[in-house]
Amino acid sequence: MRPSMSLVRSVQRVARRGYSTQSVPERKVAVLGAAGGIGQPLALLMKLNPLVSHLALYDIAGTPGVAADVSHINTRSEVKGYAGEDQLAQALEGCDVVIIPAGVPRKPGMTRDDLFNINAGIVKSLTTAIAKYCPHALINMISNPVNSTVPIASEVLKKAGVYDEKRLFGVTTLDVVRAKTFYASKANVPVAEVNVPVVGGHAGITILPLFSQATPKANLSDDYIKALTKRTQDGGTEVVEAKAGKGSATLSMAYAGALFADACLKGLNGVPDVVECSYVQSSITELPFFASKVRLGKNGVEEVLELGHLSDFEKEGLELLKPELKSSIEKGIKFANQS
């Protein structure tokens, strides 16, 4: 059965949305963990992005099939699949952006910290290879717990002598995506017009949506704001429980990951005023890593933006999240320096 022409046009519009029709530079993007639950839909979405000229799909196994499948899509990028550690160097060489969704997903009852021992080792290993084969690439860290895996990556890069804090990002875009969706529903405004900054970290109470700064403005009650905050913080758990042991928030995470990677590519290409929330090295609080609005540019982070005015509820949330986020950062640094 052939898809309707309206559907085809709709998909083509999505693929083109926000992109210039002028010629754009050659950009190589790698997805590490491309055969997994997040990696496969993320590979598909990056194939649709006309800013990508070369798409490298890496995993320990399964990537030749994913690459063959995705490569048949009639968009700009050339796709290659790489499987096994002996092919990781080829996947990384010449990369402008490296997206890392590798690792195990959450299951019901698991916290992000339960993932730590497995995913921390994976992140350390992959970052060691990035330091060697594409030290100047922008790293988009999706592997959880992001609050710890970004500090791990920073320590690995420091040891290799190639750390540039402007090029390492924890992807917190899914928190923003959720906050926008939930806010639009309660405020009864078109979701495409909504903007909500989300700051802090990327787990539980460390996720702090700033609904007081949300646009368009809506006079939501304090109880509504508290409920929206809680739902944004627990969004991952909501999906894990709904999938009942058969996965985590893979599709929405792939979408969020693709959005953030697109913003990084636009920044690299010199598009002005690209601002996204991300978990980066920061001095806007006393914590060494913190998620806030970041202006992206040709070198990665151009500017880490201040938090702006916070409501009393948000100020309280900020103080509550700090000890947990501090602990997660220290845990990552300690792990990275153990060996």
Side-chain angles (χ1 to χ4, degrees):
M1 200 174 144
R2 293 188 57 156
S4 71
M5 284 310 294
S6 62
L7 175 61
V8 171
R9 283 195 295 270
S10 174
V11 170
Q12 287 171 338
R13 276 199 304 275
V14 169
R16 287 196 306 264
R17 188 173 296 151
Y19 306 125
S20 167
T21 54
Q22 297 169 356
S23 63
V24 289
E26 299 272 303
R27 294 292 181 195
K28 181 179 176 182
V29 175
V31 179
L32 308 186
I38 297 169
Q40 291 198 42
L42 180 56
L44 169 63
L45 291 168
M46 295 316 295
K47 180 71 173 98
L48 294 179
N49 189 324
L51 301 183
V52 181
S53 58
H54 296 82
L55 183 59
L57 305 181
Y58 172 82
D59 214 319
I60 52 173
T63 22
V66 176
D69 194 355
V70 171
S71 71
H72 291 184
I73 295 168
N74 59 323
T75 54
R76 178 190 181 197
S77 54
E78 178 187 331
V79 182
K80 290 186 179 175
Y82 302 90
E85 286 185 27
D86 56 332
Q87 294 189 6
L88 180 54
Q90 289 174 268
L92 291 174
E93 281 166 352
C95 276
D96 296 287
V97 177
V98 179
I99 314 171
I100 311 180
V104 297
R106 284 173 69 198
K107 294 187 171 69
M110 286 176 79
T111 65
R112 283 181 171 85
D113 272 347
D114 291 331
L115 308 176
F116 181 88
N117 289 330
I118 300 171
N119 289 357
I122 293 169
V123 164
K124 189 174 181 180
S125 170
L126 292 174
T127 309
T128 300
I130 291 168
K132 187 174 182 180
Y133 298 111
C134 56
H136 301 298
L138 303 189
I139 300 173
N140 291 187
M141 186 69 70
I142 292 173
S143 304
N144 274 316
V146 164
N147 290 352
S148 299
T149 54
V150 169
I152 289 170
S154 75
E155 292 299 306
V156 170
L157 295 166
K158 281 176 191 173
K159 280 185 182 177
V162 296
Y163 180 53
D164 180 351
E165 70 273 14
K166 295 180 178 181
R167 295 177 181 273
L168 176 61
F169 302 88
V171 180
T172 60
T173 314
L174 182 51
D175 302 324
V176 177
V177 165
R178 286 175 173 145
K180 287 179 178 180
T181 301
F182 303 156
Y183 177 85
S185 177
K186 285 292 182 194
N188 198 25
V189 292
V191 71
E193 296 173 14
V194 169
N195 202 6
V196 184
V198 182
V199 303
H202 184 59
I205 66 160
T206 70
I207 299 166
L208 184 62
L210 303 182
F211 287 113
S212 70
Q213 297 180 22
T215 54
K217 287 281 183 198
N219 292 319
L220 298 179
S221 70
D222 289 350
D223 285 346
Y224 267 147
I225 295 297
K226 285 177 183 174
L228 285 175
T229 300
K230 182 88 166 70
R231 191 177 178 202
T232 303
Q233 291 171 338
D234 293 343
T237 303
E238 183 180 317
V239 175
V240 167
E241 290 175 353
K243 289 192 175 182
K246 291 192 169 70
S248 57
T250 51
L251 301 174
S252 50
M253 184 62 248
Y255 169 74
L259 277 183
F260 188 74
D262 176 61
C264 287
L265 289 165
K266 284 176 178 168
L268 287 174
N269 290 351
V271 175
D273 297 320
V274 179
V275 176
E276 293 288 338
C277 290
S278 183
Y279 180 65
V280 295
Q281 183 173 313
S282 171
S283 58
I284 63 169
T285 72
E286 63 272 28
L287 299 174
F289 293 91
F290 199 82
S292 66
K293 290 196 287 189
V294 172
R295 180 171 286 108
L296 301 167
K298 292 185 177 182
N299 298 302
V301 176
E302 292 292 324
E303 183 184 7
V304 179
L305 303 177
E306 295 292 330
L307 295 179
H309 178 76
L310 306 184
S311 68
D312 289 343
F313 175 67
E314 290 159 358
K315 286 176 186 172
E316 184 184 329
L318 178 61
E319 293 312 310
L320 280 172
L321 74 82
K322 284 179 181 177
E324 184 167 324
L325 185 51
K326 182 173 185 278
S327 172
S328 296
I329 293 167
E330 288 171 350
K331 186 175 182 178
I333 292 171
K334 183 182 176 187
F335 175 87
N337 290 318
Q338 273 172 351
S339 56

Coordinates of all heavy atoms in Angstrom, one line a residue, residues 11 17 56 72 76 80 118 135 144 177 208 210-211 220 229 233 248 259 279-280 282 288 308 327:
V11 N 6.1 14.3 5.9 CA 7.4 13.9 6.3 C 8.5 14.7 5.8 O 9.5 15.0 6.4 CB 7.6 12.4 5.9 CG1 9.0 11.9 6.2 CG2 6.7 11.5 6.7
R17 N 12.3 21.2 8.0 CA 11.9 22.3 8.9 C 13.1 22.9 9.6 O 13.9 22.3 10.2 CB 10.9 21.8 9.9 CG 10.3 22.9 10.8 CD 9.2 22.4 11.7 NE 8.1 21.8 10.9 CZ 7.4 20.8 11.3 NH1 7.6 20.2 12.5 NH2 6.4 20.3 10.6
A56 N 27.7 7.9 10.8 CA 28.4 6.7 11.2 C 27.6 6.0 12.3 O 27.4 6.7 13.4 CB 29.8 7.0 11.7
H72 N 18.9 3.3 2.8 CA 18.0 3.3 1.7 C 17.2 4.5 1.6 O 16.5 4.8 0.6 CB 17.2 2.0 1.7 CG 18.0 0.8 1.4 ND1 17.3 -0.5 1.3 CD2 19.3 0.6 1.2 CE1 18.3 -1.4 1.0 NE2 19.4 -0.8 1.0
R76 N 20.3 13.3 2.1 CA 21.6 13.6 1.8 C 22.7 12.7 2.3 O 23.6 12.4 1.5 CB 21.9 15.0 2.4 CG 23.3 15.5 2.1 CD 23.6 16.8 2.9 NE 24.9 17.3 2.6 CZ 25.6 18.2 3.4 NH1 25.0 18.7 4.4 NH2 26.8 18.6 3.0
K80 N 27.2 4.6 7.1 CA 28.1 3.4 7.2 C 27.9 2.8 8.6 O 27.8 3.6 9.6 CB 29.5 3.8 7.0 CG 29.9 4.1 5.6 CD 31.4 4.3 5.3 CE 31.7 4.6 3.9 NZ 33.1 4.9 3.7
I118 N 27.2 -0.3 35.1 CA 27.3 -0.8 33.7 C 27.6 0.4 32.8 O 28.6 0.4 32.0 CB 26.0 -1.5 33.2 CG1 25.7 -2.7 34.1 CG2 26.1 -1.9 31.8 CD1 24.4 -3.3 33.9
P135 N 39.1 14.2 18.9 CA 39.1 15.0 20.2 C 38.4 16.4 20.1 O 38.1 16.9 21.1 CB 40.6 15.2 20.5 CG 41.3 15.0 19.1 CD 40.5 14.0 18.4
N144 N 22.6 7.3 30.5 CA 22.3 7.6 31.9 C 23.2 6.9 32.9 O 23.7 5.8 32.5 CB 20.9 7.3 32.2 CG 20.0 8.5 31.9 OD1 20.3 9.6 32.2 ND2 18.8 8.2 31.2
V177 N 11.3 19.0 26.3 CA 10.2 18.5 25.5 C 9.0 18.1 26.3 O 7.9 18.5 26.0 CB 10.7 17.2 24.7 CG1 9.6 16.5 24.0 CG2 11.7 17.7 23.6
L208 N 14.6 20.6 37.1 CA 13.9 21.8 37.6 C 13.3 22.6 36.5 O 14.0 23.5 35.9 CB 14.7 22.6 38.5 CG 14.0 23.8 39.2 CD1 12.9 23.3 40.1 CD2 15.0 24.7 40.0
L210 N 11.4 25.6 34.8 CA 11.2 26.9 35.3 C 9.9 27.4 34.7 O 9.9 28.2 33.7 CB 12.3 27.9 35.0 CG 13.7 27.4 35.5 CD1 14.8 28.5 35.2 CD2 13.6 27.2 37.1
F211 N 8.7 26.9 35.2 CA 7.4 27.3 34.6 C 7.1 28.8 34.8 O 6.3 29.3 34.1 CB 6.3 26.4 35.2 CG 6.4 25.0 34.7 CD1 6.7 23.9 35.5 CD2 6.2 24.7 33.3 CE1 6.7 22.6 35.1 CE2 6.2 23.4 32.9 CZ 6.5 22.3 33.7
L220 N -1.4 29.7 35.8 CA -1.7 28.4 36.4 C -1.5 28.5 37.9 O -0.7 29.2 38.4 CB -0.8 27.3 35.8 CG -0.9 27.1 34.3 CD1 0.1 26.0 33.9 CD2 -2.3 26.6 33.9
T229 N 5.6 20.1 37.6 CA 7.0 19.9 37.9 C 7.2 18.4 38.3 O 8.2 17.8 37.7 CB 7.4 20.8 39.1 OG1 7.2 22.2 38.8 CG2 8.8 20.6 39.5
Q233 N 9.6 15.7 36.2 CA 10.6 15.0 36.9 C 10.5 13.5 36.8 O 11.5 12.7 36.7 CB 10.7 15.4 38.4 CG 11.1 16.8 38.6 CD 11.0 17.3 40.1 OE1 10.2 16.7 40.8 NE2 11.7 18.3 40.5
S248 N 12.2 1.6 27.9 CA 12.2 2.9 28.6 C 11.8 3.9 27.5 O 11.2 3.6 26.5 CB 13.5 3.2 29.2 OG 14.5 3.2 28.2
L259 N 16.9 16.6 18.2 CA 16.7 18.0 18.3 C 18.0 18.7 18.7 O 18.4 19.7 18.2 CB 15.6 18.4 19.3 CG 14.1 18.3 18.8 CD1 13.3 18.8 20.0 CD2 13.9 19.2 17.6
Y279 N 23.3 20.2 30.0 CA 24.0 20.0 31.2 C 25.5 20.1 30.8 O 26.1 19.2 30.1 CB 23.7 18.6 31.7 CG 24.4 18.1 33.0 CD1 24.1 18.8 34.2 CD2 25.2 17.0 33.0 CE1 24.7 18.3 35.4 CE2 25.8 16.5 34.1 CZ 25.6 17.2 35.3 OH 26.2 16.7 36.5
V280 N 26.1 21.2 31.3 CA 27.5 21.5 30.9 C 28.3 21.9 32.1 O 27.8 22.2 33.1 CB 27.5 22.6 29.8 CG1 26.8 22.2 28.5 CG2 26.9 23.9 30.4
S282 N 29.9 24.5 34.3 CA 29.2 25.8 34.5 C 29.7 26.4 35.8 O 30.1 25.8 36.7 CB 27.7 25.4 34.6 OG 26.9 26.5 35.1
P288 N 30.0 22.2 39.7 CA 30.9 22.3 38.5 C 30.1 22.0 37.2 O 30.6 22.4 36.1 CB 32.0 21.3 38.8 CG 31.4 20.3 39.8 CD 30.5 21.1 40.6
G308 N 18.2 33.6 35.5 CA 17.1 34.5 35.4 C 16.2 34.5 36.7 O 16.6 33.8 37.7
S327 N 26.4 15.1 44.7 CA 26.8 13.7 44.9 C 27.0 12.9 43.6 O 27.9 12.1 43.5 CB 25.7 13.0 45.8 OG 25.9 11.6 45.9

